PDB file of all heavy atoms in Angstrom:
ATOM      1  N   VAL A   1      -6.589  -2.110  -3.718  1.00 98.00           N
ATOM      2  CA  VAL A   1      -5.734  -0.934  -3.665  1.00 98.00           C
ATOM      3  C   VAL A   1      -6.391   0.209  -4.409  1.00 98.00           C
ATOM      4  O   VAL A   1      -6.766   0.013  -5.577  1.00 98.00           O
ATOM      5  CB  VAL A   1      -4.349  -1.232  -4.253  1.00 98.00           C
ATOM      6  CG1 VAL A   1      -3.484   0.005  -4.211  1.00 98.00           C
ATOM      7  CG2 VAL A   1      -3.685  -2.387  -3.467  1.00 98.00           C
ATOM      8  N   HIS A   2      -6.539   1.338  -3.722  1.00 98.00           N
ATOM      9  CA  HIS A   2      -7.187   2.505  -4.331  1.00 98.00           C
ATOM     10  C   HIS A   2      -6.073   3.559  -4.609  1.00 98.00           C
ATOM     11  O   HIS A   2      -5.430   4.044  -3.637  1.00 98.00           O
ATOM     12  CB  HIS A   2      -8.214   3.071  -3.315  1.00 98.00           C
ATOM     13  CG  HIS A   2      -8.901   4.314  -3.766  1.00 98.00           C
ATOM     14  ND1 HIS A   2     -10.031   4.341  -4.521  1.00 98.00           N
ATOM     15  CD2 HIS A   2      -8.595   5.632  -3.537  1.00 98.00           C
ATOM     16  CE1 HIS A   2     -10.393   5.581  -4.747  1.00 98.00           C
ATOM     17  NE2 HIS A   2      -9.550   6.405  -4.172  1.00 98.00           N
ATOM     18  N   LEU A   3      -5.870   3.892  -5.849  1.00 98.00           N
ATOM     19  CA  LEU A   3      -4.810   4.811  -6.250  1.00 98.00           C
ATOM     20  C   LEU A   3      -5.398   6.119  -6.898  1.00 98.00           C
ATOM     21  O   LEU A   3      -6.309   5.992  -7.774  1.00 98.00           O
ATOM     22  CB  LEU A   3      -3.901   4.128  -7.254  1.00 98.00           C
ATOM     23  CG  LEU A   3      -3.187   2.846  -6.796  1.00 98.00           C
ATOM     24  CD1 LEU A   3      -2.352   2.263  -7.954  1.00 98.00           C
ATOM     25  CD2 LEU A   3      -2.298   3.103  -5.578  1.00 98.00           C
ATOM     26  N   GLU A   4      -4.886   7.215  -6.516  1.00 98.00           N
ATOM     27  CA  GLU A   4      -5.094   8.470  -7.231  1.00 98.00           C
ATOM     28  C   GLU A   4      -3.896   8.718  -8.103  1.00 98.00           C
ATOM     29  O   GLU A   4      -2.793   8.915  -7.574  1.00 98.00           O
ATOM     30  CB  GLU A   4      -5.362   9.599  -6.247  1.00 98.00           C
ATOM     31  CG  GLU A   4      -6.558   9.400  -5.375  1.00 98.00           C
ATOM     32  CD  GLU A   4      -7.906   9.397  -6.150  1.00 98.00           C
ATOM     33  OE1 GLU A   4      -7.901   9.818  -7.316  1.00 98.00           O
ATOM     34  OE2 GLU A   4      -8.895   8.932  -5.580  1.00 98.00           O
ATOM     35  N   THR A   5      -4.036   8.685  -9.399  1.00 98.00           N
ATOM     36  CA  THR A   5      -2.917   8.668 -10.342  1.00 98.00           C
ATOM     37  C   THR A   5      -2.936   9.843 -11.266  1.00 98.00           C
ATOM     38  O   THR A   5      -3.987  10.426 -11.608  1.00 98.00           O
ATOM     39  CB  THR A   5      -2.893   7.329 -11.111  1.00 98.00           C
ATOM     40  OG1 THR A   5      -3.979   7.383 -12.098  1.00 98.00           O
ATOM     41  CG2 THR A   5      -3.106   6.140 -10.245  1.00 98.00           C
ATOM     42  N   VAL A   6      -1.723  10.103 -11.810  1.00 98.00           N
ATOM     43  CA  VAL A   6      -1.603  11.100 -12.876  1.00 98.00           C
ATOM     44  C   VAL A   6      -0.644  10.471 -13.891  1.00 98.00           C
ATOM     45  O   VAL A   6       0.418   9.996 -13.553  1.00 98.00           O
ATOM     46  CB  VAL A   6      -1.047  12.446 -12.403  1.00 98.00           C
ATOM     47  CG1 VAL A   6      -0.796  13.408 -13.587  1.00 98.00           C
ATOM     48  CG2 VAL A   6      -1.994  13.079 -11.414  1.00 98.00           C
ATOM     49  N   LEU A   7      -1.091  10.504 -15.214  1.00 98.00           N
ATOM     50  CA  LEU A   7      -0.229   9.971 -16.261  1.00 98.00           C
ATOM     51  C   LEU A   7       0.108  11.088 -17.261  1.00 98.00           C
ATOM     52  O   LEU A   7      -0.667  12.081 -17.396  1.00 98.00           O
ATOM     53  CB  LEU A   7      -0.975   8.830 -17.015  1.00 98.00           C
ATOM     54  CG  LEU A   7      -1.363   7.619 -16.206  1.00 98.00           C
ATOM     55  CD1 LEU A   7      -2.030   6.575 -17.144  1.00 98.00           C
ATOM     56  CD2 LEU A   7      -0.135   6.990 -15.548  1.00 98.00           C
ATOM     57  N   ASP A   8       1.247  10.908 -17.878  1.00 97.00           N
ATOM     58  CA  ASP A   8       1.686  11.874 -18.935  1.00 97.00           C
ATOM     59  C   ASP A   8       1.284  11.401 -20.299  1.00 97.00           C
ATOM     60  O   ASP A   8       1.613  12.016 -21.286  1.00 97.00           O
ATOM     61  CB  ASP A   8       3.178  12.022 -18.860  1.00 97.00           C
ATOM     62  CG  ASP A   8       3.654  12.578 -17.541  1.00 97.00           C
ATOM     63  OD1 ASP A   8       2.953  13.357 -16.906  1.00 97.00           O
ATOM     64  OD2 ASP A   8       4.801  12.182 -17.070  1.00 97.00           O
ATOM     65  N   ALA A   9       0.566  10.225 -20.380  1.00 96.00           N
ATOM     66  CA  ALA A   9       0.162   9.639 -21.656  1.00 96.00           C
ATOM     67  C   ALA A   9      -1.309   9.276 -21.549  1.00 96.00           C
ATOM     68  O   ALA A   9      -1.929   9.470 -20.526  1.00 96.00           O
ATOM     69  CB  ALA A   9       1.016   8.441 -21.960  1.00 96.00           C
ATOM     70  N   THR A  10      -1.867   8.726 -22.634  1.00 96.00           N
ATOM     71  CA  THR A  10      -3.258   8.320 -22.614  1.00 96.00           C
ATOM     72  C   THR A  10      -3.480   6.922 -22.055  1.00 96.00           C
ATOM     73  O   THR A  10      -4.633   6.433 -22.131  1.00 96.00           O
ATOM     74  CB  THR A  10      -3.846   8.407 -24.037  1.00 96.00           C
ATOM     75  OG1 THR A  10      -3.029   7.645 -24.913  1.00 96.00           O
ATOM     76  CG2 THR A  10      -3.870   9.858 -24.541  1.00 96.00           C
ATOM     77  N   ASP A  11      -2.475   6.277 -21.590  1.00 96.00           N
ATOM     78  CA  ASP A  11      -2.648   5.004 -20.927  1.00 96.00           C
ATOM     79  C   ASP A  11      -1.399   4.670 -20.087  1.00 96.00           C
ATOM     80  O   ASP A  11      -0.380   5.323 -20.187  1.00 96.00           O
ATOM     81  CB  ASP A  11      -2.861   3.853 -21.923  1.00 96.00           C
ATOM     82  CG  ASP A  11      -3.798   2.745 -21.432  1.00 96.00           C
ATOM     83  OD1 ASP A  11      -3.964   2.643 -20.220  1.00 96.00           O
ATOM     84  OD2 ASP A  11      -4.367   2.015 -22.230  1.00 96.00           O
ATOM     85  N   GLY A  12      -1.570   3.655 -19.258  1.00 97.00           N
ATOM     86  CA  GLY A  12      -0.469   3.235 -18.362  1.00 97.00           C
ATOM     87  C   GLY A  12      -0.821   1.866 -17.745  1.00 97.00           C
ATOM     88  O   GLY A  12      -1.900   1.324 -18.019  1.00 97.00           O
ATOM     89  N   TYR A  13       0.024   1.378 -16.947  1.00 97.00           N
ATOM     90  CA  TYR A  13      -0.142   0.049 -16.335  1.00 97.00           C
ATOM     91  C   TYR A  13       0.328   0.077 -14.882  1.00 97.00           C
ATOM     92  O   TYR A  13       1.419   0.566 -14.592  1.00 97.00           O
ATOM     93  CB  TYR A  13       0.682  -0.981 -17.088  1.00 97.00           C
ATOM     94  CG  TYR A  13       0.241  -2.389 -16.876  1.00 97.00           C
ATOM     95  CD1 TYR A  13      -0.843  -2.932 -17.589  1.00 97.00           C
ATOM     96  CD2 TYR A  13       0.871  -3.260 -16.054  1.00 97.00           C
ATOM     97  CE1 TYR A  13      -1.257  -4.240 -17.428  1.00 97.00           C
ATOM     98  CE2 TYR A  13       0.497  -4.591 -15.882  1.00 97.00           C
ATOM     99  CZ  TYR A  13      -0.561  -5.053 -16.549  1.00 97.00           C
ATOM    100  OH  TYR A  13      -0.970  -6.329 -16.416  1.00 97.00           O
ATOM    101  N   TRP A  14      -0.548  -0.310 -13.995  1.00 98.00           N
ATOM    102  CA  TRP A  14      -0.203  -0.312 -12.550  1.00 98.00           C
ATOM    103  C   TRP A  14      -0.207  -1.702 -12.026  1.00 98.00           C
ATOM    104  O   TRP A  14      -1.044  -2.560 -12.381  1.00 98.00           O
ATOM    105  CB  TRP A  14      -1.261   0.500 -11.813  1.00 98.00           C
ATOM    106  CG  TRP A  14      -1.243   1.973 -12.115  1.00 98.00           C
ATOM    107  CD1 TRP A  14      -2.096   2.639 -12.974  1.00 98.00           C
ATOM    108  CD2 TRP A  14      -0.363   2.964 -11.647  1.00 98.00           C
ATOM    109  NE1 TRP A  14      -1.766   3.984 -13.062  1.00 98.00           N
ATOM    110  CE2 TRP A  14      -0.650   4.192 -12.213  1.00 98.00           C
ATOM    111  CE3 TRP A  14       0.778   2.905 -10.733  1.00 98.00           C
ATOM    112  CZ2 TRP A  14      -0.006   5.362 -11.945  1.00 98.00           C
ATOM    113  CZ3 TRP A  14       1.440   4.074 -10.465  1.00 98.00           C
ATOM    114  CH2 TRP A  14       1.071   5.286 -11.055  1.00 98.00           C
ATOM    115  N   ALA A  15       0.739  -1.981 -11.091  1.00 98.00           N
ATOM    116  CA  ALA A  15       0.781  -3.275 -10.421  1.00 98.00           C
ATOM    117  C   ALA A  15       1.130  -3.011  -8.972  1.00 98.00           C
ATOM    118  O   ALA A  15       1.786  -2.016  -8.587  1.00 98.00           O
ATOM    119  CB  ALA A  15       1.899  -4.152 -11.032  1.00 98.00           C
ATOM    120  N   ALA A  16       0.641  -3.866  -8.092  1.00 98.00           N
ATOM    121  CA  ALA A  16       0.856  -3.716  -6.654  1.00 98.00           C
ATOM    122  C   ALA A  16       1.094  -5.076  -6.016  1.00 98.00           C
ATOM    123  O   ALA A  16       0.538  -6.097  -6.460  1.00 98.00           O
ATOM    124  CB  ALA A  16      -0.321  -3.032  -6.006  1.00 98.00           C
ATOM    125  N   THR A  17       1.940  -5.114  -4.963  1.00 98.00           N
ATOM    126  CA  THR A  17       2.155  -6.290  -4.206  1.00 98.00           C
ATOM    127  C   THR A  17       2.008  -6.004  -2.696  1.00 98.00           C
ATOM    128  O   THR A  17       2.364  -4.879  -2.277  1.00 98.00           O
ATOM    129  CB  THR A  17       3.525  -6.932  -4.468  1.00 98.00           C
ATOM    130  OG1 THR A  17       4.558  -6.041  -3.956  1.00 98.00           O
ATOM    131  CG2 THR A  17       3.752  -7.230  -5.901  1.00 98.00           C
ATOM    132  N   LEU A  18       1.480  -6.919  -1.951  1.00 98.00           N
ATOM    133  CA  LEU A  18       1.455  -6.805  -0.468  1.00 98.00           C
ATOM    134  C   LEU A  18       2.549  -7.709   0.069  1.00 98.00           C
ATOM    135  O   LEU A  18       2.606  -8.925  -0.221  1.00 98.00           O
ATOM    136  CB  LEU A  18       0.140  -7.250   0.059  1.00 98.00           C
ATOM    137  CG  LEU A  18      -0.015  -7.219   1.578  1.00 98.00           C
ATOM    138  CD1 LEU A  18      -0.059  -5.779   2.113  1.00 98.00           C
ATOM    139  CD2 LEU A  18      -1.272  -7.979   2.025  1.00 98.00           C
ATOM    140  N   ASN A  19       3.447  -7.144   0.868  1.00 98.00           N
ATOM    141  CA  ASN A  19       4.635  -7.867   1.328  1.00 98.00           C
ATOM    142  C   ASN A  19       4.710  -7.907   2.851  1.00 98.00           C
ATOM    143  O   ASN A  19       4.246  -7.004   3.536  1.00 98.00           O
ATOM    144  CB  ASN A  19       5.901  -7.201   0.830  1.00 98.00           C
ATOM    145  CG  ASN A  19       5.970  -7.074  -0.699  1.00 98.00           C
ATOM    146  OD1 ASN A  19       5.022  -7.378  -1.398  1.00 98.00           O
ATOM    147  ND2 ASN A  19       7.070  -6.570  -1.222  1.00 98.00           N
ATOM    148  N   ASP A  20       5.378  -8.959   3.338  1.00 98.00           N
ATOM    149  CA  ASP A  20       5.712  -9.149   4.721  1.00 98.00           C
ATOM    150  C   ASP A  20       7.226  -8.796   4.836  1.00 98.00           C
ATOM    151  O   ASP A  20       8.059  -9.484   4.236  1.00 98.00           O
ATOM    152  CB  ASP A  20       5.431 -10.565   5.192  1.00 98.00           C
ATOM    153  CG  ASP A  20       5.913 -10.918   6.561  1.00 98.00           C
ATOM    154  OD1 ASP A  20       6.529 -10.034   7.271  1.00 98.00           O
ATOM    155  OD2 ASP A  20       5.757 -12.051   6.976  1.00 98.00           O
ATOM    156  N   VAL A  21       7.559  -7.772   5.603  1.00 98.00           N
ATOM    157  CA  VAL A  21       8.957  -7.325   5.734  1.00 98.00           C
ATOM    158  C   VAL A  21       9.479  -7.843   7.106  1.00 98.00           C
ATOM    159  O   VAL A  21       8.997  -7.396   8.135  1.00 98.00           O
ATOM    160  CB  VAL A  21       9.139  -5.830   5.603  1.00 98.00           C
ATOM    161  CG1 VAL A  21      10.605  -5.435   5.686  1.00 98.00           C
ATOM    162  CG2 VAL A  21       8.519  -5.360   4.315  1.00 98.00           C
ATOM    163  N   ALA A  22      10.493  -8.711   7.074  1.00 98.00           N
ATOM    164  CA  ALA A  22      11.059  -9.255   8.284  1.00 98.00           C
ATOM    165  C   ALA A  22      12.047  -8.245   8.909  1.00 98.00           C
ATOM    166  O   ALA A  22      12.468  -7.275   8.253  1.00 98.00           O
ATOM    167  CB  ALA A  22      11.807 -10.529   7.941  1.00 98.00           C
ATOM    168  N   PRO A  23      12.363  -8.436  10.211  1.00 97.00           N
ATOM    169  CA  PRO A  23      13.325  -7.486  10.833  1.00 97.00           C
ATOM    170  C   PRO A  23      14.652  -7.411  10.151  1.00 97.00           C
ATOM    171  O   PRO A  23      15.312  -6.358  10.237  1.00 97.00           O
ATOM    172  CB  PRO A  23      13.433  -8.067  12.242  1.00 97.00           C
ATOM    173  CG  PRO A  23      12.147  -8.789  12.482  1.00 97.00           C
ATOM    174  CD  PRO A  23      11.757  -9.341  11.146  1.00 97.00           C
ATOM    175  N   ASP A  24      15.088  -8.469   9.409  1.00 97.00           N
ATOM    176  CA  ASP A  24      16.327  -8.412   8.683  1.00 97.00           C
ATOM    177  C   ASP A  24      16.241  -7.749   7.338  1.00 97.00           C
ATOM    178  O   ASP A  24      17.197  -7.642   6.627  1.00 97.00           O
ATOM    179  CB  ASP A  24      16.944  -9.814   8.539  1.00 97.00           C
ATOM    180  CG  ASP A  24      16.122 -10.724   7.645  1.00 97.00           C
ATOM    181  OD1 ASP A  24      15.081 -10.304   7.092  1.00 97.00           O
ATOM    182  OD2 ASP A  24      16.507 -11.880   7.459  1.00 97.00           O
ATOM    183  N   GLY A  25      15.012  -7.273   6.989  1.00 97.00           N
ATOM    184  CA  GLY A  25      14.848  -6.522   5.723  1.00 97.00           C
ATOM    185  C   GLY A  25      14.284  -7.332   4.602  1.00 97.00           C
ATOM    186  O   GLY A  25      13.888  -6.742   3.594  1.00 97.00           O
ATOM    187  N   ARG A  26      14.226  -8.621   4.685  1.00 96.00           N
ATOM    188  CA  ARG A  26      13.697  -9.424   3.635  1.00 96.00           C
ATOM    189  C   ARG A  26      12.211  -9.089   3.414  1.00 96.00           C
ATOM    190  O   ARG A  26      11.412  -9.051   4.327  1.00 96.00           O
ATOM    191  CB  ARG A  26      13.834 -10.921   3.884  1.00 96.00           C
ATOM    192  CG  ARG A  26      13.149 -11.848   2.839  1.00 96.00           C
ATOM    193  CD  ARG A  26      13.443 -13.289   3.013  1.00 96.00           C
ATOM    194  NE  ARG A  26      14.804 -13.586   2.550  1.00 96.00           N
ATOM    195  CZ  ARG A  26      15.198 -14.745   2.155  1.00 96.00           C
ATOM    196  NH1 ARG A  26      14.359 -15.760   2.116  1.00 96.00           N
ATOM    197  NH2 ARG A  26      16.429 -14.957   1.793  1.00 96.00           N
ATOM    198  N   SER A  27      11.847  -8.890   2.125  1.00 97.00           N
ATOM    199  CA  SER A  27      10.518  -8.478   1.784  1.00 97.00           C
ATOM    200  C   SER A  27       9.842  -9.593   0.958  1.00 97.00           C
ATOM    201  O   SER A  27      10.288  -9.865  -0.179  1.00 97.00           O
ATOM    202  CB  SER A  27      10.594  -7.164   0.947  1.00 97.00           C
ATOM    203  OG  SER A  27       9.320  -6.741   0.545  1.00 97.00           O
ATOM    204  N   THR A  28       8.864 -10.247   1.529  1.00 97.00           N
ATOM    205  CA  THR A  28       8.220 -11.425   0.894  1.00 97.00           C
ATOM    206  C   THR A  28       6.842 -11.104   0.449  1.00 97.00           C
ATOM    207  O   THR A  28       6.001 -10.700   1.255  1.00 97.00           O
ATOM    208  CB  THR A  28       8.224 -12.593   1.899  1.00 97.00           C
ATOM    209  OG1 THR A  28       9.519 -12.869   2.391  1.00 97.00           O
ATOM    210  CG2 THR A  28       7.631 -13.848   1.283  1.00 97.00           C
TER     211      THR A  28
END
């Protein structure tokens, strides 16, 4: 995952998930 970010502090923490979203809305 390639992110262009802006922080208001001198550090931060990023996390990402890849999900499969079913037609009923469930996100796995």
Side-chain angles (χ1 to χ4, degrees):
V1 178
H2 177 88
L3 301 177
E4 299 295 344
T5 72
V6 176
L7 298 182
D8 300 327
T10 55
D11 213 339
Y13 199 80
W14 294 99
T17 65
L18 177 71
N19 303 5
D20 173 0
V21 182
D24 65 1
R26 173 171 288 203
S27 180
T28 304

